[in-house]
Amino acid sequence: MIIAVLLFQLVSLLVFFIPTKHKALFASLIVILNSLATSWLAFPALSGNTIEFLFNAGSFLGEIPIRIDGLSAWFIFIINFTSITGVIYGTGYLRAYNETAAKLNLHWLMFIVFHLSMVWVCMLQNGFAFLIAWEIMSLSSMLLVIFDHNNPKTIKAGINYLVQMHISVVFLTVGFLWVYFETGTFSFDAFNTYFGANSNIWLFVVFFVGFGLKAGFIPLHSWLPHAHPAAPSHISGVMSGVIVKLGIYGIIRIISFLKSDYLLLGEIVITISILTGLYGIMNAAVHRDFKRMLAYCTIENIGIIGIGIGIGLMGIGNGSPIMYYLGFGGALLHVLNHSLFKSLLFYSAGSVYQQTHTRDMDKLGGLIKLMPKTAILFLIGALAIGGIPPFNGFVSEFILYSGLIEGIKSNDLGQISLLILSIAGLSIIGGVSILTFTKTFGTIFLGSPRETLKHKPTEVSKTMLFPQYAIIAVMLTVVFAPKFYLNIIGNLLKGLSSATVGFDITGFTNYASTISNISIYSACFIGLIILIWAIRWLATQRLPVASNATWGCGYVAPNAHMQYTGKSFSKPLGKIFSFFLIERKNFDELSTGEIFPKERSYSSYYHDFFEFRFITRFSHQLVNSSGYFKFIQNGKVQSYVLYGIVFILAILIISALNII
Amino acid sequence: MLSLLLILVAALFFTGIIIRTKSLASGRKGPGIIQPIKDVIRLFKKGSVYSQTTSIIFQIAPTIYFASVVMAMLVIPFGQSKGIISFNGDFIFFAYVLALGKFFSIISALDTGSSFEGMGASREALYSMFAEPAFFILMGSLALLTGYTSFHEIFAALHVGSYISYAITVLATFVLVMVAMIENSRMPIDDPKTHLELTMVHEVMILDNSGFDLGLILTAGFMKFAIYGALVVNLFIGMVRYEYAIPMFFAIQFLMAVSIGLIESFMARFRMSHNAQFIVALTSVSLLIFFAVLLILGKFA
């Protein structure tokens, strides 16, 4: 049966031969079928039955264990759902490109490969095979990112992504080889032996860097703000929703094998995560490009997930089951939640981009009147991502806060201080995310249009709206049936690691019932809003209503350019944190003799602190120093022949002298 | 339930007392203390003017803002009697529900497409962002001190015993009062009586609201004051019996209103650019509380 599922996946490559017109439809069908098949495969694992079989991959790779446990199944379900919504949304989003057959051909093929490779990453438990799947995932997603390859910026973002993903692969390979040389096998079981016998810290750090590059922990995040704006929106949605989460999957997978040093690693992870969250959201707040803003916001959410992982690790270290369950539980639930609202936000932002062809929010405005459905969808995503009740983000953030507060009951001064600061950090992240999303929503959708667009935007097609409704439906199930999800998470956490076998889950189930109560209160809250709205409607229906211009301090000829812009909205924040929100302005200053100034332009933009201060400098140095070796590659055939002769002679002489 | 009733009663008079104090301090007789309520009732009966730029967001925002404040009010306990909603970690719910209201009031200001209202909205978002950690560190420290995580249990277990714990209560009162000032946009963060749109924070955000909606926003403001007042009261009453606790409640609310009135009469608003620093300084006061709690619990040993 399982073999049949795997064989079917090969069939899906037939998409290559389908005529362009039907390709998108066929691709969606294949993605849905593949998702159903793999979900069906993974389903028993959610209730705690690990599915395991060996796959003989010839003499070189040997037996590859394919194992789907609760953790894999959780991620497989998230991958499948987001891929389905992505492919349906993409069908509508790319409709305009139907003439460009070559682009679409590669795109849909790669989408299917991408989806399957992500699922495989979650199933393979052999280092070598894992790396192959991981590499296929990175390559296929890179090809998806550069869909618009006529644009040099897109190519640049794609190459940036490719290079960074390969740095990640180097770290992962080093990690797997390290274990291989110590234990003699690539199978994941080898980690148990390795971690049992050796120091846990360094190997974990190697893997944390490798997977952290994918996930986007600072300072490894710099590919995200380039790749996400460059990719088509359904790809950004899937990448941000799922592919970065596979970095989290990898980290949790490695954690499940750890044997010691939990406390130290937990403290490291939680510190990096808080900084990641703050850095991500502060940057998100100042950017004008709304897809770049969402990319930074993804970094922030990775930070929030990391906080959960950190709490969980500290929980294992302290032997505190409640911290363990709340930490990892919050992290895993936030993985789900973020995959939902982030893909929703990318899709609705993509709808805006499709209709307006600009990503600069300060050129937009008043879209709620032209695209009301998209506006409401974006608003729901914005509220959810801010962790505001009654939406799903609150559920996971509440669990994380509870984990932090349970943690401060410990006896260690250092831990208590770290956790109190984490609480403060998480609350600042929440505050800035409100600033970020009020700014984004307000600038794009509210007020009046800031610039006249070439085409008048209209509401997007049903194909693009439907997946977003589906996402909201799932979001609501998280809010109103949190117990369902928390039970699954509780189950899968029970068997996650050998260190947590005896951990008592009752504390977590108590929290689960508290959270179910919160969903009742959320329902009451919605009821209260409706009640007050009804009272307002009753009280005001007889009253006169007039419509007039916005109050402009008595100024009677205001225009749309006088509106407050998104840039100015976040400027005070940018000023306060100018030490890492580096702003650069491009303009010619007025010279002293210039009595009649010419027309001039002004533009300002923000640099990424780490990229600007470290990565670019480092890579420039690298390029400069490689300049010294240019003389070798001088383009003369004669020199190359000479190199060959020198080399052969050297070999001859060395072997003649018995040196090697 | 009891807390809800008490907060509602306090909300009726709170703003009136502030205004009365201010007028007495400036040598005027001033309006009666239920004048603000009368104003609101009048607003409820009035028609509305909507800006042509606005959308549905502008119309639902005041309702959601009001509902969020009511929801937050339900969480507040009164001494031994729980709030209507009480669970472990309810103070997180409290802060985040208020955030929903703030979110909507900010986007409703942006909905008008005005050149001033966005400015106020930006400031409000920034200030409340900075105030957040102060509140969370305060509540986290109190949770650490008492070992409980819901408002009701924390306050019920808060024993004022040693000298350090008096210091904690004083500092916590200061933090809560200041958070209340920031949340309600009063002095020294914001001057509700200022005349220039450019220097306003909260007032400029609601410039275009009128009629029933404005009434809702103002009422929510009254309740917000009483909510924070009730939190301050809760720091002191603990397990005190009702016959003393209820008069104490009103006395403290009255005292808070009078002191707000006095502050507003004799102080000028901070420079806008210094507000952020001031609010961050509040976080350090919260950290002081945290250290005091560590001292009490002997964690420094």
Side-chain angles (χ1 to χ4, degrees), chain B residues 110-132:
Chain B
L110 291 173
D111 200 12
T112 58
S114 148
S115 34
F116 315 105
E117 299 192 26
M119 205 178 291
S122 154
R123 287 169 186 160
E124 174 119 338
L126 187 71
Y127 298 160
S128 53
M129 181 274 276
F130 278 124
E132 213 103 307

Side-chain angles (χ1 to χ4, degrees), chain A residues 397-602:
Chain A
E397 288 204 15
F398 181 81
I399 297 176
L400 293 178
Y401 272 115
S402 306
L404 289 169
I405 292 167
E406 289 291 338
I408 57 174
K409 291 175 185 166
S410 105
N411 276 321
D412 184 75
L413 184 62
Q415 273 188 51
I416 300 175
S417 311
L418 181 63
L419 292 175
I420 276 279
L421 289 177
S422 304
I423 292 177
L426 197 53
S427 69
I428 296 180
I429 292 173
V432 186
S433 92
I434 288 176
L435 190 145
T436 309
F437 280 94
T438 47
K439 166 201 163 190
T440 313
F441 181 76
T443 323
I444 298 178
F445 293 101
L446 303 178
S448 41
R450 292 186 170 76
E451 271 178 28
T452 350
L453 299 163
K454 289 198 185 86
H455 304 282
K456 192 176 176 193
T458 48
E459 190 52 82
V460 292
S461 65
K462 284 207 181 72
T463 339
M464 290 166 74
L465 289 173
F466 169 73
Q468 305 183 46
Y469 294 140
I471 292 172
I472 291 181
V474 179
M475 275 164 58
L476 290 179
T477 62
V478 180
V479 182
F480 293 110
K483 257 205 161 137
F484 170 72
Y485 294 94
L486 293 176
N487 280 341
I488 292 175
I489 289 175
N491 259 333
L492 79 87
L493 286 179
K494 243 186 247 169
L496 185 67
S497 158
S498 54
T500 61
V501 166
F503 273 17
D504 185 15
I505 199 172
T506 39
F508 186 64
T509 21
N510 288 343
Y511 266 101
S513 15
T514 305
I515 289 159
S516 310
N517 285 338
I518 294 179
S519 61
I520 299 172
Y521 304 140
S522 299
C524 295
F525 186 30
I526 295 171
L528 182 69
I529 292 173
I530 295 170
L531 177 74
I532 296 170
W533 181 250
I535 293 173
R536 177 186 180 275
W537 181 78
L538 280 177
T540 55
Q541 61 175 337
R542 284 171 199 286
L543 298 174
V545 171
S547 187
N548 214 322
T550 299
W551 171 242
C553 285
Y555 184 64
V556 288
N559 64 35
H561 285 288
M562 292 165 75
Q563 273 180 100
Y564 218 56
T565 58
K567 171 87 208 302
S568 3
F569 191 89
S570 56
K571 178 80 191 185
L573 183 81
K575 245 183 183 166
I576 293 169
F577 294 100
S578 56
F579 57 96
F580 72 91
L581 301 173
I582 305 162
E583 194 187 10
R584 285 285 174 274
K585 298 167 184 170
N586 276 343
F587 62 98
D588 306 326
E589 258 184 81
L590 213 57
S591 52
T592 28
E594 206 174 350
I595 301 170
F596 301 107
K598 299 192 297 284
E599 192 179 304
R600 53 188 72 221
S601 67
Y602 170 89

